[in-house]
Amino acid sequence: MGEENKNRGIIPSMIKNKEKRAEVHANLKNQKKLEKRKRAKARDAAEKQALELGEELPPRKIPRTIENTREVDETLCKPDDEELFAGNDADEFSSIIKREILPKVLITTCRFNSTIGPTFISELLSVIPNAHYYKRGTNDLKKIIEYANAKDFTSLMVVHTSRRKLDGLLIIGLPEGPTAHFKISNVVLRKDIKNHGNPTSHQPELVLTNFTTRLGLRIGRLIQALFPQDPNFRGRRVVTFHNQRDFIFFRHHRYIFESKENKKEADSKKKSKDTKGEKVPQQKVIARLQECGPRFTMKLISLQHGTFDSKGGEYEWVHKPEMDTSRRRFFL
C-alpha cells in the first residue's frame, strides 16, 4: 500500500530505471481500469434504480472525440442557408443531379503507368455505371479532355501510379471543370478481399457521409456527379464515400438477406423427428453486408477552377503543410 501511494504522485517518464518505470506504468493503468469499472457499475445501478422508480434516466456523458471538439469553421453548411442551396442549383453538377443529363465517365491512366493501373480501372468500371476506359499512350491530357468533350462525357478520371503503386487520382468535371486532385492510399483490390462478392450490373445506391463544409459539399457533389441518380434497389449494391478527418474512405458492398432457424426450434425439431405432424420451424431473416471491392482511401490535395492546367490554373483550394498544425482542424 505504501508503494502504491508513492507511485500515485510519480509520473512514469520521471523514472530512469526501465523495469521500475514499466512497473509503475502497469500499476497506474490497472488503477485507471478499476476506477472506470467502478464508475460503470455505479452508473448501471443508478439507471436500474431510476427504471424501478419510474424516473428519468440520468444523462450519460458524451465522450470527447477529435470530431466533436473540432475547431470552429465559418464555412460549415447550415440547413437553412438559402444562398448555399441557390448556389447548388446553378453549379456545374446540377443538371446531372437533377437527372436532366445521364452521367458518362471516361477513365484513363497516367502516361507511364504500371500494370496495377489498368487492373484498378477494370474494377472501377464495374463500380461506376456508364464508365469507359481510354488507353492513354503518349497522348497529352488536354487532348484527352478535348476528345471527352467531343464525345459528350460528363467526367474524366485519371489514375496515377508511381513505383508500381497507385498514388493519385484526378477527377475532372466536363466540360468546364472543376478538377480535384486526390492522393490515394491503402488500396486493396477485389481479389485480395476475403469472402468478396461479385457486383452485378445494377445501378448502385450512393452514400456520401460527413461532407459538412462548403468545400466538402463541393467535393461531395463532384463525386455524386459520377453516378446516376436513379439507383436500382433490386441489385442491393451500395457505394460509400465516408469522410472522416478529411480522409475519404471508399467501400463497395452488396447486402444479403439470409434466413436462419432459431436454435431452440432447431433443437426441438431434432427431438421430435419420430413424432407425426411436426411443426415447421420459423425462420429468422438476417441482413448482412458482403464487400465487393475495391477498397481505398482518398485525401484531397487541391481543387482547381476549370479543367486541368498545371501552369496557369486558378485554384479554389490547395492543401499546404502549415494547415496541419492542429489535429482538430478539418476542411471537408
Side-chain angles (χ1 to χ4, degrees):
M1 286 293 289
E3 282 188 17
E4 283 183 15
N5 292 329
K6 282 180 185 178
N7 292 340
R8 280 180 187 177
I10 296 171
I11 302 166
S13 58
M14 294 164 60
I15 302 166
K16 292 181 179 180
N17 186 288
K18 187 179 177 180
E19 290 182 5
K20 186 67 178 173
R21 186 170 65 242
E23 186 186 340
V24 171
H25 176 72
N27 288 337
L28 286 170
K29 197 174 179 182
N30 189 41
Q31 193 180 336
K32 283 181 182 178
K33 195 176 178 181
L34 290 170
E35 286 172 4
K36 189 178 178 182
R37 198 177 292 168
K38 197 183 286 183
R39 285 196 302 270
K41 279 185 179 179
R43 187 181 64 238
D44 292 342
E47 284 181 0
K48 191 178 178 181
Q49 190 178 0
L51 283 169
E52 286 173 356
L53 297 171
E55 297 174 354
E56 286 187 11
L57 295 174
R60 288 204 169 202
K61 288 182 180 179
I62 299 168
R64 283 172 60 87
T65 62
I66 290 177
E67 281 82 7
N68 64 21
T69 57
R70 66 182 289 175
E71 289 185 6
V72 178
D73 192 341
E74 293 176 358
T75 64
L76 276 172
C77 300
K78 295 175 183 176
D80 57 347
D81 194 341
E82 293 178 5
E83 184 189 339
L84 179 68
F85 291 116
N88 288 344
D89 290 338
D91 70 0
E92 304 93 329
F93 321 112
S94 59
S95 57
I96 296 171
I97 293 169
K98 288 177 182 176
R99 303 184 190 180
E100 294 170 6
I101 300 172
L102 188 70
K104 189 179 175 186
V105 183
L106 185 68
I107 307 177
T108 187
T109 60
C110 57
R111 275 184 180 172
F112 306 104
N113 65 297
S114 62
T115 52
I116 194 171
T119 309
F120 178 67
I121 286 171
S122 68
E123 297 197 5
L124 281 183
L125 291 171
S126 67
V127 173
I128 304 170
N130 206 16
H132 306 269
Y133 173 57
Y134 183 88
K135 195 172 180 180
R136 176 72 179 267
T138 57
N139 292 315
D140 192 53
L141 189 56
K142 288 186 178 180
K143 286 186 178 179
I144 295 173
I145 290 169
E146 287 173 11
Y147 167 81
N149 283 328
K151 295 289 183 180
D152 296 325
F153 283 95
T154 58
S155 297
L156 172 65
M157 296 176 73
V158 183
V159 176
H160 192 272
T161 57
S162 176
R163 297 177 183 177
R164 298 184 181 180
K165 284 188 178 180
L166 291 159
D167 67 344
L169 179 69
L170 273 177
I171 301 178
I172 304 170
L174 297 175
E176 298 173 352
T179 301
H181 182 203
F182 298 94
K183 180 186 175 183
I184 284 190
S185 58
N186 304 327
V187 179
V188 182
L189 298 175
R190 186 178 299 142
K191 64 183 178 63
D192 300 320
I193 295 172
K194 192 179 178 183
N195 299 326
H196 67 82
N198 293 315
T200 59
S201 58
H202 296 85
Q203 292 183 2
E205 299 172 56
L206 180 65
V207 179
L208 296 164
T209 58
N210 213 20
F211 293 89
T212 53
T213 64
R214 293 207 168 205
L215 175 65
L217 187 66
R218 191 147 170 76
I219 294 299
R221 286 175 72 82
L222 175 68
I223 293 167
Q224 191 179 354
L226 298 172
F227 294 85
Q229 305 304 305
D230 52 342
N232 191 333
F233 297 105
R234 283 186 177 275
R236 307 193 309 275
R237 285 179 63 201
V238 185
V239 172
T240 307
F241 290 88
H242 173 69
N243 172 44
Q244 189 169 357
R245 302 180 190 178
D246 286 351
F247 288 94
I248 302 169
F249 298 92
F250 172 86
R251 296 292 183 271
H252 180 207
H253 293 95
R254 60 192 291 262
Y255 44 93
I256 298 169
F257 297 104
E258 292 180 333
S259 55
K260 288 189 177 181
E261 291 181 10
N262 291 332
K263 284 186 178 180
K264 289 180 181 177
E265 290 178 357
D267 292 339
S268 62
K269 185 184 174 184
K270 285 178 184 177
K271 288 177 184 176
S272 59
K273 266 188 178 180
D274 300 328
T275 58
K276 291 181 180 180
E278 60 183 45
K279 292 180 181 179
V280 178
Q282 290 182 354
Q283 291 186 332
K284 192 178 181 182
V285 178
I286 295 168
R288 68 178 181 88
L289 287 174
Q290 183 183 36
E291 193 167 357
C292 298
R295 182 196 302 170
F296 57 90
T297 307
M298 299 157 62
K299 172 86 171 173
L300 183 66
I301 294 173
S302 66
L303 183 65
Q304 186 180 353
H305 279 296
T307 54
F308 182 74
D309 187 357
S310 58
K311 292 180 180 178
E314 184 186 342
Y315 287 89
E316 293 182 38
W317 185 87
V318 181
H319 180 264
K320 295 175 183 176
E322 54 265 27
M323 292 177 174
D324 298 332
T325 52
S326 172
R327 291 178 67 209
R328 288 179 166 78
R329 187 184 301 148
F330 307 121
F331 300 99
L332 299 182

